[in-house]
Structure formats: C-alpha cells, structure tokens
C-alpha cells in the first residue's frame, strides 16, 4: 500500500516557499513525511521533470537544511506532477484512476488554494476511493465570514470526520509560541505571578514592514482583523492566558484555550472607541487588485479584557498591521510596580524575526548610592547557528504533526467559530458607532489613534 501527500495548488507561492522546502527538510532529516509520495496538482502544463526543475530553485533558496544535488535528487524522485482543473468535478474520476494505477490507498490532502475552493475540492474528493479515510489540511482563513465558516465546516464534515480535518495555523508551529507554555509553567518566578494581581497588562504585537504585495485580491476581502486577529493572535492570546492544562499535547489544552476565548468581555460592555482602532496605510488603494474606494483595514489595535478570576481587570492589548516601520512579533508582559518611583519589570517573548526572551528588572545603581536602575537580560535563541539548523520550521513541524495525528498543533472548529463571532461583533459595533478607518503613513508605527488608545489608560506600546 502506497501513501500520498497530495497538494492542490502545487504551483502557488505557498507550495514553493513553504511546503516543498518543509518536505525537503523532512526528507533529509528522515521525518515521517519521507514515507509519502508527493503528488503536485496544478493547472499549468508542466511535466514532472519541468516541475522538479522549478522546485529545485525554491528549495535551494528556502530550505532550512543544506542543499545538495544528491539530496534533492532523492527528494525529487518522490514527486509527480499531475495536471488537473480542480474546479471540474469530472476531473476527480480521472484523479481516482491515477491513484488506483499507482496503488495509492493512504492519503493526506493539502489544500494550498484560495479559501473559496476548500468546500468544492473536499466534496469532489468523495469521488476518490479511500479519500474519505484520509486527512485534509486547510490553510486559513477558514471561511471569509462566520456564516461562510459554518457552511464550509458543514461541507467538510459530510466527507471527512472532525478528527480527519486539520486547520493549519502556522503560528502554532513557531518555536517561541510553543515555548510560551514552558516559560509560564516551568519557571516558578513567572508561574506564581501570572495573573492580574501581579501583571498590569499584556501586549501581543504582529507587525509587518511589507504591504499586500501580490495578495491584494485576497487581502482586500479580508483585512487585518480577519487575516490576523481572528486566528493567529487569538490563538496566542489563549495560550498566554489559559489555565495550566493537565496534558500539553491533548484535548485538555484545547479546552483551556477555548475557556479563555469564552471569557473575553462581551462586546458593548466597554465603549467601542476604547476597544478598537482600525487603520489603512497610505497608498493601499493603489495596490494591485485593491478597490479604488476600499475600506479594508490593514491595521488593527484592540484593548480586551478576560473576565475570569485570573485576569479580571488586566487589559490585553493586541495590534497588527502592514507597511509599518519594523517587522516583529512578540508578547510583552508588564508586571505591576511595587511602588510608583521604580520601573516596571517586563518580560518579552520574541517570536519573529528574532526568537528569544528579554527580561527587564530593577537593581541598585553601582556605587555609593541608593538610586535604582534597570538591568536587561536578552537571550537570543535564533542567533545561534546550531539552534537555527536544529529547529524545525513551522510548516515542517505541522506536516509531521498531521502525519502523527497530533491535533493540538492545529486550530479547532469551536475555537474558530468563537473567534469569528467575537471579531464580527467588534466590526459591527465599530461600524455602527461611525468610527473612521484612519490613515497612517507607510514606514510609521501605525495610526496615532492606536497610541492614544493606550495613553488614555496610562499605558504605551512597549519598545526595547
């Protein structure tokens, strides 16, 4: 019996930049993915040889592990290019015949296509013998609205059972996102202080220095709230704030994350002007495939509260945006001051591009004085070549997790549904309040209104 890792959208940017390099890394390191044939499905008229020649260039550029012709040759021997119009239902019977002719009976399907095709492909895979016993991996966003997400989930579950559906959120595969649990629960100096009695605020930032580039068509239908907040940043929020799960690799962790999302203060209990700022970078409407009068948000800043015993009263600030002056993603935990004349202790978990941990605390200034100064300890995990080489990248890690059936690395439907409901309520409240989509210069730190949101409550975005 043969196994196949089949990629729909095999000529797209995601496949070339992320999936093929991840599979190549797995081939070198002897990961489980090496047991699978790689079936590339695309509409372009390539032969397998032509496709592998293209793939070679991307693997050379983006693979984590060293490239060699010998290693790539071994990897490429598992690749087959299959030309197909996946929007044509009749083509799936031919695909079934192809799989049967090659003795393939065990399947993983990766849908590296636009979200509008997810349901269509899944339903047509019913024509493929054995497909319904396989696994399917979907990229975010999972649906384009709450109703669309519900409809997509219903369509998927007519073919696949819930435990066969893997909704990928590549941020969950990032090294320092998974490290949040260790930092929190394996260090008493943090574990015993991880609540609103000792923590004044938490910030989660995901800032990009690039614009929409070639993704204008997709992004103009999504925006920052849908593209980042509803999935990636709510996942990180739930990991930062959850109670200690009994099992870090099972359903209990998922249950604890979901409790956090359910405890978010209901929209409307705080004035929306004190909760959300939406912005759009200057020149966005001139981007390719973007509407001339687009009201799509490319920046979002939020002030949220988690109304449970652990976090009641401590604000969580979230921000994300494009075309900003820096690229960084981090979690900033600001501890309460013991008295007004000393600085805050601050813990920063750096997720990208630098991975590591930064800690700021108070000491007495050297010399014959009682003055207090700040000490700063900065551990850069990704600065060490050994760490970079030995740390699997997000897609590499998540593909392996899917093969092993480890669902805890993936977003679950109830988390997605809860996130969608909350984001749609926020957007509706913002619109009904008549609040503006504010403009901000490219290369800046974002809208000044986002800075003022924090300033009104005695806080500021953290800068190291």
């Amino acid at each position: 019996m043969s196994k196949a890792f089949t990629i729909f959208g095999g000529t797209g940017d995601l496949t070339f930049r992320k999936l093929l390099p991840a599979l190549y890394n797995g081939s070198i390191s002897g990961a489980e993915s090496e047991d699978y044939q790689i079936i590339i499905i695309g509409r372009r008229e390539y032969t397998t040889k032509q496709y592998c020649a293209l793939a070679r260039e991307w693997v050379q550029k983006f693979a984590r592990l060293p490239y060699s012709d010998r290693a790539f040759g071994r990897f490429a021997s598992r690749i087959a290019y299959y030309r197909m119009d996946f929007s044509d239902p009749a083509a799936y019977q031919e695909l079934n015949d192809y799989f049967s002719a090659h003795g393939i009976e065990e399947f993983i399907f990766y849908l590296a296509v636009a979200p509008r095709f997810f349901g269509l492909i899944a339903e047509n895979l019913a024509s493929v013998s054995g497909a319904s016993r396989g696994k399917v991996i979907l990229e975010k966003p999972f649906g384009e609205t709450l109703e669309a997400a519900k409809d997509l989930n219903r369509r998927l579950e007519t073919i696949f059972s819930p435990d066969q559906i893997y909704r990928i959120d590549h941020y969950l595969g990032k090294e320092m996102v998974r490290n949040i649990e260790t930092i929190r629960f394996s260090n008493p100096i943090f574990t015993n202080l991880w609540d609103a009695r000792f923590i004044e605020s938490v910030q989660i930032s995901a800032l990009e220095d690039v614009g929409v580039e070639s993704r204008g068509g997709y992004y103009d239908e999504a925006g920052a709230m849908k593209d980042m907040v509803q999935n990636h940043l709510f996942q990180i929020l739930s990991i930062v704030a959850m109670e200690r799960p009994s099992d870090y690799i099972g359903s209990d962790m998922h249950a604890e994350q979901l409790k956090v999302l359910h405890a978010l203060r209901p929209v409307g209990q705080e004035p929306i002007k004190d909760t959300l700022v939406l912005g759009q970078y200057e020149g966005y409407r001139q981007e390719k495939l973007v509407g001339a009068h687009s009201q799509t948000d490319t920046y979002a800043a939020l002030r949220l509260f988690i109304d449970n015993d652990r976090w009641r009263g401590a604000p969580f600030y979230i921000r994300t945006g494009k075309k900003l002056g820096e690229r960084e993603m981090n979690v900033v935990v600001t501890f309460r001051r013991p008295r007004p004349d000393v600085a805050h202790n601050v813990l920063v978990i750096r997720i990208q591009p630098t991975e590591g941990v930064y800690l700021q605390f108070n000491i007495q200034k050297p010399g014959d004085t009682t003055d207090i100064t700040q000490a700063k300890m900065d551990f850069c995990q990704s600065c060490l070549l050994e760490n970079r080489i030995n740390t699997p990248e997000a897609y590499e890690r998540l593909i392996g997790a899917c093969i092993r059936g480890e669902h805890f690395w993936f977003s679950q439907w109830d988390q997605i549904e809860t996130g969608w409901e909350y984001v749609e309520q926020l957007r509706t409240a913002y619109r009904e309040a008549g609040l503006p989509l504010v403009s901000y210069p490219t290369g800046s730190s974002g809208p000044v209104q986002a800075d003022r949101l924090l300033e009104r409550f005695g806080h500021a975005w953290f800068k190291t």
Side-chain angles (χ1 to χ4, degrees), residues 65-318:
L65 297 176
Y67 172 87
S68 74
D69 287 339
R70 181 178 179 181
F72 183 81
R74 178 182 170 188
F75 169 64
S77 69
R78 295 163 43 218
I79 296 176
Y81 182 81
Y82 184 85
R83 184 171 179 268
M84 173 184 174
D85 179 359
F86 57 72
S87 63
D88 178 9
Y92 288 80
Q93 185 54 55
E94 295 179 5
L95 180 63
N96 178 61
D97 295 342
Y98 176 86
F99 285 140
S100 296
H102 290 79
I104 297 169
E105 299 180 17
E106 187 171 327
F107 299 95
I108 294 178
F109 300 102
Y110 198 117
L111 308 191
V113 297
R116 65 181 181 274
F117 295 118
F118 290 169
L120 172 70
I121 294 173
E123 288 173 340
N124 281 296
L125 283 174
S127 302
V128 175
S129 177
S132 62
R133 298 191 301 273
K135 300 172 182 177
V136 60
I137 305 176
L138 301 96
E139 279 288 324
K140 64 91 181 171
F142 190 76
E144 296 168 339
T145 64
L146 174 60
E147 288 308 310
K150 288 180 177 179
D151 179 64
L152 173 57
N153 195 63
R154 177 190 58 77
R155 295 170 72 185
L156 284 168
E157 290 190 356
T158 62
I159 309 300
F160 300 96
S161 64
D163 63 355
Q164 294 170 280
I165 301 170
Y166 292 76
R167 302 169 187 87
I168 200 166
D169 183 336
H170 68 275
Y171 279 67
L172 295 182
K174 290 185 177 294
E175 183 71 16
M176 292 307 298
V177 172
R178 305 311 303 187
N179 225 320
I180 291 171
E181 303 158 24
T182 302
I183 293 168
R184 277 194 60 183
F185 298 121
S186 299
N187 296 288
I189 60 172
F190 299 129
T191 301
N192 298 329
L193 304 178
W194 208 264
D195 57 46
R197 294 174 301 160
F198 300 102
I199 292 176
E200 182 175 300
S201 69
V202 177
Q203 296 179 16
I204 302 171
S205 296
L207 312 179
E208 298 180 67
D209 55 5
V210 297
V212 295
E213 298 181 307
S214 62
R215 300 170 69 234
Y218 154 72
Y219 196 87
D220 208 37
E221 296 294 325
M225 288 286 282
K226 295 181 183 180
D227 188 53
M228 290 293 295
V229 176
Q230 177 266 333
N231 40 69
H232 299 320
L233 301 187
F234 274 5
Q235 285 283 348
I236 295 173
L237 168 72
S238 65
I239 294 171
V240 170
M242 69 181 179
E243 297 299 312
R244 183 195 292 268
S246 60
D247 185 350
Y248 294 111
I249 60 173
S251 60
D252 190 51
M253 179 172 170
H254 158 241
E256 293 300 338
Q257 289 181 263
L258 187 61
K259 288 177 185 176
V260 171
L261 298 179
H262 283 159
L264 286 170
R265 182 169 295 175
V267 176
Q269 287 195 12
E270 294 282 321
I272 192 66
K273 67 179 180 64
D274 292 336
T275 302
L276 179 62
V277 172
L278 297 177
Q280 184 184 92
Y281 66 78
E282 295 174 358
Y284 171 74
R285 294 171 184 170
Q286 285 73 55
E287 298 276 21
K288 187 178 180 181
L289 302 178
V290 169
H293 304 287
S294 173
Q295 291 297 302
T296 297
D297 48 291
T298 65
Y299 181 98
L302 300 89
R303 174 176 170 265
L304 304 175
F305 290 90
I306 299 170
D307 287 336
N308 60 20
D309 291 342
R310 179 178 294 273
W311 294 109
R312 189 170 285 108
F316 283 71
Y317 296 108
I318 294 175

Side-chain angles (χ1 to χ4, degrees), residues 441-462:
T442 61
S444 69
S445 61
V448 294
Q449 290 85 347
D451 297 333
R452 293 170 184 163
L453 172 65
L454 273 67
E455 289 168 1
R456 289 200 296 273
F457 301 97
H459 297 134
W461 298 112
F462 182 78

Side-chain angles (χ1 to χ4, degrees), residues 397-409:
R397 177 177 278 143
L398 292 171
I399 288 170
C402 175
I403 291 171
R404 295 187 296 272
E406 297 172 349
H407 271 276
F408 65 93
W409 292 95

